[in-house]
């Protein structure tokens, strides 16, 4: 096994710090919004754009790390950019949909269409993930992602089934269906982590 | 599966990055194959064999 070079270690650290900064900023902003200390929702969702901007240096640092650790490819870069665009579109779509839904009664008749505003960017994320697996020519990197995706799918099915029965037996409250994608993404991260621990 | 990739690469004084570029794969792929964490597909194994001008079984052996 090769030792990590100083540049590799530094790139990992920088990417990690940006990821932490992004998560802290997102949670802090969400907390302030929830407590009504900045501005009440739905306009407050516009404020979420600010921590979202941290995604840009985070993705750039991640790409630098991928180059240093030898797992960068044009396909990975394309995937990162597609996810970045979809993430911004999601926040804008969600904010816009909530704003229209809460402030304009007439818009409620178009609720199904409004629901599409945050949904379409999520479709974009799913499409970006599928394109990555199709376009990635490096079979090892592809296998690693597919393994992580299988773990994510298994985890989502297990959690959804268990939670479903908890709801049936009135132990737990019903959870909105849109939580499926973030849960799957958490599973994907966990899958990559398991792969790393197992040395894949 | 065992392989002699690291030895063959060292004989040619190639880094993992050099080999990765010659095979058009990532450096992590080369590392994973060398350390036995990942067994390459038949097409990639043939590409490796072609590069070293050897037969596949001269590079890859059963455990």
């Amino acid at each position: 096994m090769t030792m990590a070079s100083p540049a590799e270690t530094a790139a990992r650290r920088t990417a990690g710090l940006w990821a932490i900064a992004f998560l802290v900023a997102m949670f802090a902003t969400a907390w302030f919004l929830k407590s009504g200390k900045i501005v009440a929702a739905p306009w407050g969702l516009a404020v979420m754009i600010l921590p979202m901007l941290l995604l840009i240096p985070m993705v750039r640092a991640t790409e630098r790390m991928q180059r240093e650790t030898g797992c960068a490819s044009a396909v990975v870069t394309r995937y990162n950019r597609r996810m970045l665009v979809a993430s911004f579109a999601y926040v804008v779509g969600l904010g816009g949909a909530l704003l229209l839904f809460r402030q304009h009664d007439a818009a409620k008749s178009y609720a199904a269409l409004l629901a599409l505003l945050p949904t379409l960017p999520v479709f974009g994320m799913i499409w970006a993930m599928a394109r990555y697996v199709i376009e990635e020519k490096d079979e090892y990197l592809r296998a690693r992602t597919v393994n992580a995706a299988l773990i994510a799918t298994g985890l989502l099915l297990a959690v959804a089934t268990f939670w479903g029965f908890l709801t049936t037996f009135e132990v737990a409250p019903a959870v909105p269906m849109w939580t499926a994608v973030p849960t799957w993404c958490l599973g994907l991260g966990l899958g990559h982590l398991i792969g790393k621990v197992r040395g894949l | 599966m065992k392989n002699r990739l690291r030895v063959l690469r060292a004989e040619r004084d190639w880094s993992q990055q050099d080999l990765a570029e010659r095979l058009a794969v990532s450096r992590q792929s080369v590392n994973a194959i060398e350390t036995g964490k990942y067994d390459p597909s038949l097409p990639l194994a043939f590409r490796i064999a072609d590069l070293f001008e050897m037969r596949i079984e001269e590079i890859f052996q059963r455990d």
Side-chain angles (χ1 to χ4, degrees):
Chain A
M1 205 163 101
T2 52
M3 291 288 290
S5 69
E8 195 176 317
T9 309
R12 277 184 199 279
R13 193 181 305 126
T14 310
L17 287 174
W18 277 116
I20 291 168
F22 169 71
L23 288 173
V24 168
M26 284 296 281
F27 279 110
T29 311
W31 183 80
F32 273 117
L33 282 176
K34 208 169 160 48
S35 64
K37 285 184 180 167
I38 296 180
V39 57
W43 277 109
L45 269 168
V47 180
M48 290 303 280
I49 289 290
L50 294 173
M52 285 289 290
L53 289 173
L54 288 174
L55 268 180
I56 296 169
M58 191 188 95
V59 167
R60 289 170 71 96
T62 304
E63 286 176 354
R64 205 160 39 244
M65 182 193 74
Q66 287 165 340
R67 277 196 300 275
E68 291 295 340
T69 54
C71 62
S73 71
V75 183
V76 171
T77 306
R78 208 154 45 230
Y79 166 78
N80 290 339
R81 303 294 155 92
R82 284 170 176 164
M83 288 300 274
L84 195 61
V85 170
S87 301
F88 276 102
Y90 173 76
V91 172
V92 172
L94 180 62
L98 286 176
L99 185 70
L100 289 169
F101 185 71
R102 289 177 184 173
Q103 296 203 332
H104 304 281
D105 285 343
K108 287 188 180 174
S109 54
Y110 307 111
L113 286 176
L114 287 181
L116 276 176
L117 284 177
T119 302
L120 288 175
V122 175
F123 285 174
M125 292 177 197
I126 296 167
W127 172 80
M129 289 184 240
R131 287 309 305 170
Y132 171 74
V133 173
I134 292 165
E135 292 172 10
E136 182 57 84
K137 297 284 182 283
D138 189 306
E139 61 179 54
Y140 168 67
L141 296 182
R142 190 174 55 229
R144 221 168 53 164
T145 302
V146 169
N147 278 341
L150 285 174
I151 290 172
T153 306
L155 184 80
L156 174 64
L157 294 176
V159 169
T161 304
F162 184 48
W163 199 274
F165 281 116
L166 286 178
T167 308
T168 303
F169 296 117
E170 298 175 353
V171 178
V175 169
M177 297 291 281
W178 54 257
T179 52
V181 172
T183 306
W184 189 87
C185 289
L186 279 176
L188 189 70
L190 185 72
H192 277 295
L193 203 66
I194 291 171
K196 213 176 253 300
V197 171
R198 289 169 61 196
L200 295 175
Chain B
M1 204 161 61
K2 290 183 296 186
N3 70 77
R4 297 176 54 224
L5 212 55
R6 186 190 294 273
V7 174
L8 295 169
R9 179 171 65 74
E11 282 172 1
R12 285 153 184 81
D13 203 21
W14 291 345
S15 65
Q16 285 189 339
Q17 185 62 41
D18 293 332
L19 180 56
E21 283 167 14
R22 284 174 162 87
L23 292 170
V25 297
S26 65
R27 181 165 60 80
Q28 290 219 346
S29 298
V30 170
N31 186 53
I33 295 167
E34 273 189 4
T35 51
K37 289 173 192 163
Y38 177 73
D39 292 331
S41 67
L42 211 45
L44 180 55
F46 271 116
R47 264 176 26 225
I48 294 169
D50 289 345
L51 181 68
F52 289 109
E53 296 178 325
M54 299 170 94
R55 289 180 299 160
I56 288 180
E57 58 269 35
E58 290 176 296
I59 302 173
F60 296 95
Q61 291 97 30
R62 291 186 194 92
D63 275 325

